[in-house]
């Protein structure tokens, strides 16, 4: 094996380990041997021979060896391998670059390598789960289906009696509604299945009345019935929907019934219309269009056609699915014959050709993995059978371990694992490479004798849902962080900077508050159970930064000092749970927002008792939805933003609203008409001179305008009076908007994060930089110092200059904070990956709070600006004008800055493990190596000083005094003092300089450059001190 091939095998080791199940076992074994490192191939006997390498003849102790001796002795002792392999092994052991290795280094290296490999394999195979969550539900009947809506990022659960629960992305219950059909009475209603038609943004629901209703999610009234398919021959009990991601017009809706029949509707123009409209109907017709199944079978609708087979011998079809990789329909039933049936349509035919396999007692469910080309079936005989779809005569494998009938299976596509759930409430996770159970979960699910279960795994989010009748449970998979440093044990929800104490304060979902030193990242204090077991959602500091306010989902806000003593408890939720999103502390009041359309206020003069009740907000409720955030501009301007995107401006002294505005033109008109009907508002006005050009197709959907953060740009000094933007907001879809609150108009908007679900932001105190973070852990820094300073007739959509774009986190960023330390602007980010990262404004990560090594914050050069490819210029008619509705504009793809890695630098693996650290500490104690302070990068010290021999000076003995001191009268006369008082005239430099003086001829170029850089650093320090 050559050195190049060995390096390539090291780089691809992690990728190759994930490719587990291949068609040829012999090729897989040969491939595995080729990828193994040399040390991984050593046996116990080889290790004993390896020890002899470090014990030459006539030596009784182990001695270190150099590189050449190591290679020669290893080849002689082991008799296998080539010199390049042993040379590469020596270089990986000698990470300190000493030129020799000993037996301790070799054994430590091998131990660390096996330990890290074992940890890597273990983390990749065994999922780590958070505590099970029992989601609250108002459904009383068993849940029949769970789906995820990608367009609106919501979960839907539908019960047998037609009650649908809508869950937000944060798994908070948003609303509950009833779906029904006029064919039966509500008390006789029975829902059997539900699927999502993602390409057309619809939902299909099947009823026992032998009909399917298609609900449109883009309509003004969400979940209004658009199509009703009736006249089916039998009652449907399962459905599946597939569409072509490359051509949304191609889609297939397949379903199975109680009589063993599998049917499919193949759409050819789904994006235009699922079914043809009757000639008598019009576009404005709001009633559902009724379609007969007989019409589809006869081919009356040109935009679709039907397929079917009856191979399940009149048994209930438990599950049906269309697999695009196989171009076949898969269905199963609880029967001995034709248990699993594959049906496919050959070219030029209108019927399905089928093949089947037989399983004793039948199958409850199945799932197909296209990468492995395997069908996993959940059998009633307690086994999970694995089938090759091209050879259905017998299974490829059998997974044994369940003690009861298996009722659900589902693949994890990326991890190549299989989830199986049995009747005795045991969840098993199987490794498909070895076909072994790697994890068993039991005893955590609800206790019930008879239950109906659905297993649903949303892999991108790691959410595993299980239902037990009407009870919905959630298991959330932890992110594979490996050796990543974490600051908290649980996801971090908020982070603050205390400039008075120069400390960072953080909170997490486990109700823990931690205080850190900003200068070193060291943990100082930690308070646990601040709100019991309730999650802390947000925090705030008072103006003196001596009191800490913490808010929890239990509806309370507590006021603490930094010794851990709670002084007051604010009953914001009025003894009810409340999702508090922000605490705004003003001079005379405390405003608490997040869970209702009105502002909850506490007066400062009422903070006399421990338990404080809220006061009444004089302005009443002016929002139509929950208020999520607020911003304050001294002396009296208050702005609040709600879930539906509406912004209301208040006078904080009178607590009355003065105006409101909304980015959507139609929403603003609706709010204005609603306000005009209220006579008690007096001079309240709704002005909407500028509106968003990013309006979605469904403007009536309020979740597209959610406002998550708002800040007043009060630090701007060069803003045009009452013309430029003074308020910035952000929220859903990665959009940042800038407003002028004096004229109530939208000044600018831009897409900060393309295809982002939701973003948060913060601004520095001088309002020079805007920092945004998204749900993928990405942070972008924008220079807004000269952005939107003057009035514009059109809504500005040009992006401000981007300074940096990095991804310091692996999960959603929950909070951002800025601070200034040693004249350096820093960013503190808190994430759901349990870490808090400190970085500078240029995107360089300084460290993670809680890491072993303490950092040191130094000076940095001003950040550069990233040039973003410009947009295509629009004609004046295409630009979004005020007082009009606008078309959506194209999205931007902003490139990230890739971190430049010095090729000369070495990765010291001894710092990442306990054994390595101990070895390094012992080595440092033996051979201390003091290092000079460097500026930027210093070259290797190769020059004249490397050849100097330094030794201690000899001791100085007593030196006799010279004769001119002992007998001064012989050498000096009495006029010496007078001569010293005379003014001395020294010769000029040109008179005394005999040879031209040149520093470049006396000193090396490296020394001169280094001295020049040090002078520049000192000058910068002096300038900074003068400015302070």
């Amino acid at each position: 094996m050559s050195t190049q091939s060995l390096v390539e095998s090291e780089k691809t080791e992690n990728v190759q380990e994930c490719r587990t199940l291949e068609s040829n076992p012999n090729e897989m074994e040969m491939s595995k041997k080729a990828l193994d490192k040399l040390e991984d191939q050593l046996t116990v006997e080889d290790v004993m021979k390896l020890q002899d390498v470090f014990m030459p003849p006539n030596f009784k102790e182990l001695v270190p060896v150099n590189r050449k001796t190591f290679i020669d002795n290893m080849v002689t002792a082991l008799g296998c391998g080539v010199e390049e392999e042993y040379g590469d092994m020596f270089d990986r052991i000698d990470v300190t670059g000493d030129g020799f290795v000993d037996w301790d280094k070799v054994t430590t290296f091998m131990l660390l390598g096996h330990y890290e490999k074992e940890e890597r394999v273990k983390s990749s195979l065994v999922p780590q789960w958070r505590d099970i969550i029992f989601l609250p539900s108002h459904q009383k009947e068993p849940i029949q289906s769970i789906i995820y809506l990608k367009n609106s990022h919501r979960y839907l659960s539908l019960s047998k009696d037609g009650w649908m629960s809508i869950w937000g992305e944060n798994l908070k219950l948003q609303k509950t509604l009833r779906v029904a059909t006029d064919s039966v009475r509500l008390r006789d209603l029975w829902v059997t299945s539900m699927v999502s038609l993602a390409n057309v943004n619809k939902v299909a629901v099947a009823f026992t009345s032998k009909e399917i209703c298609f609900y449109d999610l883009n309509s003004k009234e969400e979940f209004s019935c658009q199509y009703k398919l009736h006249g089916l021959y039998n009652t449907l009990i399962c459905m599946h929907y597939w569409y072509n991601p490359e051509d949304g017009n191609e889609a297939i809706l397949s379903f199975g019934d109680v009589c063993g029949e599998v049917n499919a509707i193949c759409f050819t123009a789904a994006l235009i219309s699922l079914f043809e409209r009757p000639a008598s109907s019009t576009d404005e017709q709001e009633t559902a269009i009724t379609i007969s199944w007989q019409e589809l079978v006869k081919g009356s609708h040109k935009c679709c056609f039907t397929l079917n087979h009856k191979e399940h011998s009149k048994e209930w079809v438990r599950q049906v699915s269309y697999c695009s990789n196989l171009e076949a329909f898969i269905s199963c039933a609880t029967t001995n014959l034709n248990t699993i049936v594959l049906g496919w349509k050959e070219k030029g035919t209108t019927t399905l050709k089928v093949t089947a396999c037989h399983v004793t007692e039948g199958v409850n469910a199945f799932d197909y993995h296209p990468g492995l080309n395997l069908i996993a079936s959940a059998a009633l005989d307690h086994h999970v059978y694995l089938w090759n779809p091209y050879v259905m005569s017998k299974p490829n494998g059998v997974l044994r371990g369940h003690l009861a009938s298996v009722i659900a299976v589902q693949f994890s596509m990326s991890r190549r694992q299989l989830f199986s759930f049995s009747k005795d409430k045991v969840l098993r996770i199987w490794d498909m490479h070895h076909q072994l159970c790697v994890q068993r979960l039991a005893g955590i699910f609800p206790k019930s004798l008879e239950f109906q279960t659905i297993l649903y795994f949303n892999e991108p989010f790691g959410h595993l849902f299980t239902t037990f009748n009407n009870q919905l449970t959630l298991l959330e998979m932890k992110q594979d962080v490996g050796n990543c440093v974490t600051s908290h044990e649980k996801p971090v929800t908020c982070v603050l900077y205390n400039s008075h104490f120069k400390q960072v304060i953080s909170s997490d979902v486990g109700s823990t508050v931690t205080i850190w030193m900003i200068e070193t990242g060291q943990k100082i204090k930690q308070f646990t159970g601040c709100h019991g077991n309730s999650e802390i959602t947000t925090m705030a500091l008072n103006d003196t930064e001596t009191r800490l306010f913490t808010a929890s989902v239990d509806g309370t806000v507590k006021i603490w000092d930094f010794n851990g003593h709670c002084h007051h408890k604010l009953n914001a939720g009025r003894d009810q749970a409340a999702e508090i999103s922000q605490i705004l502390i003003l001079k005379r009041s405390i405003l608490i927002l997040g869970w209702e359309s009105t502002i909850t206020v506490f007066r400062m003069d009422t903070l006399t008792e421990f338990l404080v009740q809220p006061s009444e907000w004089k302005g009443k409720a002016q929002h139509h939805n929950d208020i999520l955030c607020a911003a304050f501009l001294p002396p009296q301007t208050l702005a609040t933003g709600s879930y539906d995107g509406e912004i209301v401006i208040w006078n904080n002294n009178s607590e009355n609203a003065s105006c409101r505005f909304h980015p959507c033109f139609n929403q603003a008109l609706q709010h204005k008409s609603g306000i005009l009907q209220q006579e008690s508002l007096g001079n309240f006005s709704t002005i909407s001179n500028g509106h968003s050009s990013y309006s979605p197709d469904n403007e009536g959907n309020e979740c597209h305008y959610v406002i998550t953060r708002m800040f007043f740009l009060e630090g701007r000094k060069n803003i045009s009076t009452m013309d430029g933007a003074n308020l910035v907001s952000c929220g859903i879809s990665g959009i940042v908007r800038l407003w002028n609150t004096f004229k109530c108009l939208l000044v600018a908007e831009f897409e900060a994060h393309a295809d982002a679900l939701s973003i948060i932001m913060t601004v520095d105190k001088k309002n020079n930089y805007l920092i945004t973070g998204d749900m993928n852990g990405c942070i972008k820094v924008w220079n807004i110092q000269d952005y939107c300073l003057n009035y514009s007739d059109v809504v500005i959509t040009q992006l401000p200059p981007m300074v940096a774009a990095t991804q310091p986190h692996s999960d959603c960023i929950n909070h951002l904070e800025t601070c200034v330390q040693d004249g350096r602007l820093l960013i503190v980010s808190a994430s759901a990956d349990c870490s808090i990262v400190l970085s500078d404004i240029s995107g360089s990560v300084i460290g993670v709070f809680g890491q072993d090594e303490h950092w040191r914050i130094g000076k940095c050069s001003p950040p550069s600006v990233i040039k973003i490819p410009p947009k295509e210029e629009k004609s004046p008619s295409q630009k979004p004008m005020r007082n009009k509705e606008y078309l959506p504009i194209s999205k931007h793809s902003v490139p990230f800055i890739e971190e430049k890695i010095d090729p000369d630098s070495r990765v010291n693996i001894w710092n990442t493990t306990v054994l390595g650290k101990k070895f390094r500490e012992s080595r440092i104690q033996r051979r201390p190596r003091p290092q000079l302070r460097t500026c930027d990068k210093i070259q290797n010290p190769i020059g004249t000083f490397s050849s100097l021999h330094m030794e201690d000076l000899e001791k100085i003995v007593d030196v006799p005094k010279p004769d001119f001191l002992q007998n001064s009268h012989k050498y000096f006369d009495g006029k010496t003092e007078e001569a010293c008082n005379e003014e001395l005239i020294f010769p000029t430099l040109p008179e005394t300089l005999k040879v031209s003086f040149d520093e470049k001829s006396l000193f090396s170029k490296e020394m001169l450059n280094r001295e020049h850089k040090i002078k520049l650093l000192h000058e910068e320090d002096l300038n900074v001190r003068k400015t302070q």
Side-chain angles (χ1 to χ4, degrees):
M1 183 184 294
S2 64
T3 305
Q4 182 179 0
S5 62
L6 183 63
V7 173
E8 292 177 354
S9 67
E10 291 175 2
K11 292 181 180 180
T12 58
E13 181 186 9
N14 294 336
V15 178
Q16 295 293 337
E17 285 180 354
C18 296
R19 299 173 183 173
T20 54
L21 192 58
E22 301 293 340
S23 58
N24 194 335
N26 296 329
E27 292 180 1
M28 186 175 63
E29 188 68 20
M30 294 173 60
S31 145
K32 181 178 178 182
K33 291 182 179 179
L35 290 173
D36 283 341
K37 296 180 182 178
L38 183 62
E39 59 270 17
D40 296 334
Q41 302 176 10
L42 300 179
T43 63
V44 178
E45 297 178 358
D46 295 334
V47 175
M48 296 178 65
K49 295 178 182 179
L50 181 63
Q51 188 176 7
D52 297 336
V53 174
F54 298 90
M55 188 175 290
N58 303 327
F59 281 84
K60 297 183 179 179
E61 296 180 356
L62 299 173
V63 297
V65 296
N66 57 20
R67 193 177 192 273
K68 186 177 184 304
T69 305
F70 178 84
I71 296 174
D72 296 338
N73 293 347
M74 287 289 287
V75 174
T76 304
L78 300 181
C80 62
V82 295
E83 293 183 358
E84 287 83 1
E85 292 179 322
Y86 293 109
D88 180 76
M89 182 178 178
F90 180 92
D91 295 336
R92 285 186 284 113
I93 296 175
D94 186 24
V95 292
T96 55
D98 296 327
F100 67 92
V101 296
D102 54 18
W103 178 244
D104 291 336
K105 276 188 177 182
V106 174
T107 53
T108 304
F109 169 77
M110 295 178 64
L111 180 62
L112 292 176
H114 286 291
Y115 173 80
E116 292 176 354
K117 182 177 180 180
E118 182 182 358
E119 287 295 313
R120 183 171 62 253
V121 173
K122 182 179 178 181
S123 63
S124 63
L125 290 180
V126 182
Q128 302 297 321
W129 304 95
R130 305 187 190 277
D131 296 337
I132 190 170
I133 300 175
F134 296 88
L135 299 177
S137 175
H138 300 293
Q139 294 161 331
K140 298 180 180 179
E141 294 293 333
I143 297 175
Q144 301 289 77
S145 297
I146 301 173
I147 60 175
Y148 178 71
L149 302 179
K150 295 182 180 180
N151 296 334
S152 57
H153 315 294
R154 292 180 293 176
Y155 290 97
L156 302 182
S157 64
L158 184 62
S159 63
K160 186 178 72 173
D161 56 356
W163 282 104
M164 179 183 293
S165 297
I166 304 175
W167 310 82
E169 192 176 10
N170 56 358
L171 297 175
K172 302 296 183 183
L173 184 62
Q174 294 181 350
K175 64 174 69 173
T176 302
L177 53 89
R178 188 82 177 267
V179 294
T181 174
D182 53 6
S183 302
V184 296
R185 293 176 295 181
L186 287 178
R187 64 181 183 180
D188 299 328
L189 185 70
W190 192 327
V191 175
T192 58
S193 182
M194 175 180 62
V195 291
S196 171
L197 286 62
N199 60 327
V200 293
N201 206 18
K202 292 179 175 57
V203 171
V205 179
F207 299 91
T208 53
S209 55
K210 302 179 182 180
E211 57 186 356
I212 303 176
C213 293
F214 297 84
Y215 296 92
D216 187 12
L217 303 181
N218 290 330
S219 61
K220 296 180 180 179
E221 294 182 4
E222 208 170 17
F223 296 99
S224 63
C225 185
Q226 185 178 13
Y227 301 104
K228 181 188 293 185
L229 178 61
H230 70 95
L232 297 168
Y233 300 139
N234 304 299
T235 300
L236 307 185
I237 56 175
C238 59
M239 290 193 302
H240 178 263
Y241 184 78
W242 168 88
Y243 71 94
N244 188 351
E246 297 179 357
D247 183 6
N249 286 312
E250 298 179 10
I252 297 176
L253 175 65
S254 54
F255 46 89
D257 57 33
V258 296
C259 293
E261 187 173 352
V262 174
N263 294 277
I265 306 175
C266 303
F267 301 98
T268 57
L271 297 180
I272 301 174
S273 178
L274 294 179
F275 306 100
E276 293 182 2
R277 290 177 173 269
S280 58
S281 65
T282 59
D283 295 338
E284 291 78 10
Q285 188 174 359
E286 297 182 358
T287 59
I289 300 175
T290 304
I291 297 102
S292 173
W293 174 249
Q294 287 76 9
E295 296 177 5
L296 299 182
V297 174
K298 293 178 181 178
S300 302
H301 292 254
K302 297 181 181 179
C303 56
C304 62
F305 60 92
T306 62
L307 298 170
N308 78 315
H309 72 76
K310 305 177 183 179
E311 297 295 327
H312 286 291
S313 304
K314 296 186 179 181
E315 291 290 336
W316 286 26
V317 180
R318 298 292 179 176
Q319 186 179 346
V320 64
S321 176
Y322 176 76
C323 300
S324 59
N325 296 69
L326 304 175
E327 294 184 350
F329 299 91
I330 307 177
S331 56
C332 68
T334 53
T335 179
N336 296 336
L337 297 177
N338 295 342
T339 308
I340 301 178
V341 176
L342 269 73
W344 66 95
K345 179 180 176 293
E346 294 183 346
K347 293 183 179 180
T349 62
T350 58
T351 59
L352 293 178
K353 189 174 181 179
V354 297
T355 182
C357 65
H358 315 295
V359 179
T360 305
E361 298 182 21
V363 167
N364 282 315
F366 68 88
D367 196 14
Y368 173 70
H369 195 296
L372 301 176
N373 194 30
L374 282 178
I375 300 174
S377 59
L380 275 71
D381 60 359
H382 308 176
H383 301 327
V384 177
Y385 294 96
L386 304 176
W387 306 86
N388 185 337
Y390 300 112
V391 183
M392 300 290 291
S393 57
K394 62 178 181 179
N396 266 17
V398 181
L399 306 181
R400 296 180 173 89
H402 283 289
L403 302 178
S405 61
V406 186
I407 56 180
V409 289
Q410 187 172 352
F411 277 107
S412 173
M413 300 298 174
S414 61
R415 303 172 70 95
R416 298 198 172 191
Q417 295 175 341
L418 177 69
F419 300 95
S420 63
F421 191 77
S422 58
K423 195 68 174 177
D424 56 355
K425 299 178 184 176
V426 175
L427 177 66
R428 287 182 177 269
I429 302 175
W430 308 84
D431 173 27
M432 289 291 97
H433 173 49
H434 302 94
Q435 295 188 7
L436 294 175
C437 179
V438 297
Q439 193 174 43
R440 178 182 181 271
L441 300 178
I444 62 175
F445 301 105
K447 297 179 180 180
S448 57
L449 297 177
E450 296 294 332
F451 60 92
Q452 179 180 339
T453 296
I454 294 175
L455 185 71
Y456 176 74
F457 180 57
N458 189 359
E459 189 165 357
F461 295 94
H463 292 163
L464 179 62
F465 294 92
T466 51
T467 64
F468 300 88
N469 295 333
N470 64 334
Q471 178 66 60
L472 183 61
T473 64
L474 169 65
L475 280 172
E476 185 176 359
M477 187 181 295
K478 294 181 179 179
Q479 298 255 348
D480 294 334
V481 295
N483 294 326
C484 295
V485 180
T486 57
S487 310
H488 283 251
E489 294 182 358
K490 295 185 178 181
V492 187
T493 56
C494 185
V495 63
L496 301 174
Y497 176 66
N498 190 324
S499 60
H500 182 70
F501 297 110
K502 294 185 178 181
Q503 297 171 352
V504 172
I505 309 161
S506 61
S507 64
D508 61 18
V509 298
S511 198
T512 300
V513 174
T514 307
I515 302 177
W516 314 82
M517 286 291 295
I518 187 69
E519 296 176 347
T520 61
Q522 182 181 4
K523 184 190 296 184
I524 303 175
K525 296 180 182 179
Q526 188 175 61
F527 307 107
T528 59
C530 296
H531 288 262
N533 296 325
S534 300
E535 171 188 347
I536 297 178
T537 56
T538 185
M539 299 187 298
L541 291 169
N542 64 343
D543 54 351
T544 60
E545 297 185 344
T546 57
R547 290 291 184 266
L548 175 66
F549 292 69
T550 61
S552 173
V553 293
D554 59 5
T556 63
V557 175
K558 293 185 178 181
I559 305 177
W560 309 78
D561 59 24
F562 286 92
N563 292 322
H565 176 68
C566 180
H567 293 268
H568 302 285
K569 180 179 179 181
L570 311 182
N571 188 15
R574 297 175 175 86
D575 299 326
Q576 299 291 330
E579 188 75 17
I580 300 174
S581 59
Q582 185 176 351
I583 305 172
L584 187 60
I585 304 173
L586 305 179
K587 187 175 182 180
R588 297 185 179 88
S589 60
I590 303 169
L591 308 183
I592 302 175
L593 318 165
W595 72 102
E596 56 185 4
S597 59
T598 185
I599 300 176
T600 303
V601 59
F602 292 84
R603 314 293 179 187
M604 289 295 185
D605 53 9
T606 61
L607 300 182
T608 56
E609 303 292 336
F610 176 77
L611 182 62
V612 183
Q613 301 297 332
S615 304
E616 182 181 1
W617 180 255
K618 299 177 184 178
K620 305 297 180 182
Q622 301 298 336
H623 283 277
H624 295 76
N625 217 311
D626 296 344
I627 303 175
L628 300 183
C629 56
F632 182 73
L633 178 65
Q636 59 188 13
T637 304
L638 174 68
T640 55
S642 62
Y643 181 84
D644 57 2
E646 184 183 33
I647 297 177
V648 176
I649 305 299
W650 308 75
N651 185 314
N652 184 58
N653 292 337
S654 62
E655 297 183 358
N656 290 326
S658 58
C659 66
R660 59 158 27 97
F661 37 92
H662 194 282
C664 174
F665 182 75
N666 292 338
Q667 291 275 10
L669 291 180
Q670 293 175 6
H671 292 172
K672 182 177 181 179
S673 61
I675 292 301
L676 292 176
Q677 297 176 2
Q678 303 180 23
E679 299 179 356
S680 60
L681 292 180
N683 296 326
F684 188 90
S685 62
T686 302
I687 306 175
S688 301
N689 292 334
H691 300 290
S692 172
S693 60
Y694 288 91
S695 300
D697 295 337
N698 180 19
E699 291 186 349
N701 197 343
E702 59 191 18
C703 67
H704 290 290
Y705 301 99
V706 176
I707 299 177
T708 57
R709 296 289 190 277
M710 278 200 316
F711 292 96
F712 273 108
L713 304 177
E714 55 182 312
R716 289 190 164 190
K717 298 180 180 179
N718 52 347
I719 184 174
S720 178
T721 305
M722 299 182 66
D723 284 340
N726 66 335
L727 178 68
V728 59
S729 66
C730 72
I732 296 296
S733 302
I735 306 298
V736 175
R737 295 183 173 92
L738 287 89
W739 308 82
N740 185 311
T741 59
F742 302 107
K743 298 182 178 180
C744 297
L745 57 85
L746 177 63
V747 179
E749 63 177 357
F750 62 91
E751 190 176 32
H753 295 255
D755 301 326
L757 303 179
S758 177
I759 64 171
I760 62 171
M761 69 174 182
T762 188
V763 293
D764 65 318
K765 290 187 177 180
K766 296 182 179 179
N767 301 148
N768 292 332
Y769 297 101
L770 171 71
I771 301 98
T772 58
D774 62 18
M775 300 191 68
N776 296 323
C778 300
I779 293 178
K780 295 183 180 181
V781 182
W782 310 86
N783 188 339
I784 59 171
Q785 185 175 3
D786 300 323
Y787 190 67
C788 299
L789 297 179
N790 300 309
Y791 176 79
S792 175
D793 293 331
V794 297
V795 178
I796 300 173
T797 57
Q798 182 182 2
L799 278 74
M802 187 170 67
V803 176
T806 58
Q807 188 173 3
H809 298 280
S810 60
D811 205 342
C812 172
I813 296 178
N814 292 328
H815 205 275
L816 291 169
E817 186 81 357
T818 61
C819 61
V820 178
Q821 184 69 18
D822 296 334
R824 186 176 181 182
L825 182 59
L826 305 176
I827 303 172
V828 185
S829 57
S831 170
D833 62 2
C834 307
S835 66
I836 307 169
V837 176
L838 180 67
S839 56
D840 61 14
I841 203 68
S842 61
S844 301
V845 175
I846 298 175
V848 181
F849 286 90
Q851 67 183 28
D852 293 338
E853 296 183 2
H854 298 166
W855 58 65
R856 191 175 177 185
I857 301 174
K859 302 288 182 181
C860 70
S861 59
S864 59
V865 176
I866 301 175
K867 294 184 178 180
I868 302 174
K871 283 186 178 179
E872 296 181 0
E873 288 295 332
K874 297 182 180 181
S875 60
S877 60
Q878 293 176 326
K879 291 185 178 181
M881 302 295 293
R882 308 195 185 279
N883 293 324
K884 295 183 181 180
E885 298 182 71
Y886 313 110
L887 298 176
I889 64 175
S890 60
K891 298 182 179 179
H892 300 271
S893 57
V894 182
F896 283 86
I897 301 178
E898 295 185 0
E899 185 178 0
K900 295 182 180 179
I901 301 176
D902 184 8
D904 299 331
S905 63
R906 297 178 178 177
V907 179
N908 193 349
I909 64 171
W910 310 98
N911 290 336
T912 61
T913 56
V914 177
L915 292 177
K917 291 177 182 178
K918 290 184 178 180
F919 177 82
R920 182 172 177 271
E921 290 176 0
S922 62
R923 180 170 185 78
I924 291 175
Q925 292 176 1
R926 290 201 311 265
R927 298 176 61 186
R929 297 179 181 179
Q931 297 181 354
L932 295 175
R933 180 186 175 185
T934 60
C935 50
D936 296 335
K937 180 182 175 183
I938 299 178
Q939 299 178 356
N940 295 330
I942 301 175
T944 56
F945 290 98
S946 61
S947 60
L948 293 179
H949 176 68
M950 308 297 294
E951 59 182 11
D952 296 335
L953 298 176
E954 296 181 357
K955 294 184 178 180
I956 300 176
V957 297
D958 294 335
V959 180
K961 293 183 178 181
D963 186 64
F964 72 90
L965 292 177
Q966 297 180 358
N967 304 306
S968 58
H969 60 280
K970 297 180 180 181
Y971 302 90
F972 305 99
D973 54 8
K975 299 181 179 180
T976 302
E977 185 174 356
E978 296 178 0
C980 293
N981 293 332
E982 296 178 4
E983 184 178 359
L984 298 178
I985 301 175
F986 295 96
T988 60
L989 184 62
E991 296 175 358
T992 59
L993 188 63
K994 297 180 180 180
V995 182
S996 60
F997 178 76
D998 186 9
E999 290 184 350
K1000 295 183 180 179
S1001 62
L1002 296 179
F1003 302 99
S1004 63
K1005 181 179 179 180
E1006 180 183 356
M1007 294 181 62
L1008 295 175
N1009 292 338
R1010 184 174 178 181
E1011 183 181 11
H1012 179 66
K1013 292 180 180 179
I1014 293 175
K1015 287 181 179 179
L1016 293 179
L1017 288 176
H1018 285 303
E1019 291 177 1
E1020 290 182 3
D1021 291 338
L1022 292 176
N1023 294 333
V1024 171
R1025 292 177 182 176
K1026 290 179 180 180
T1027 56
Q1028 292 179 351

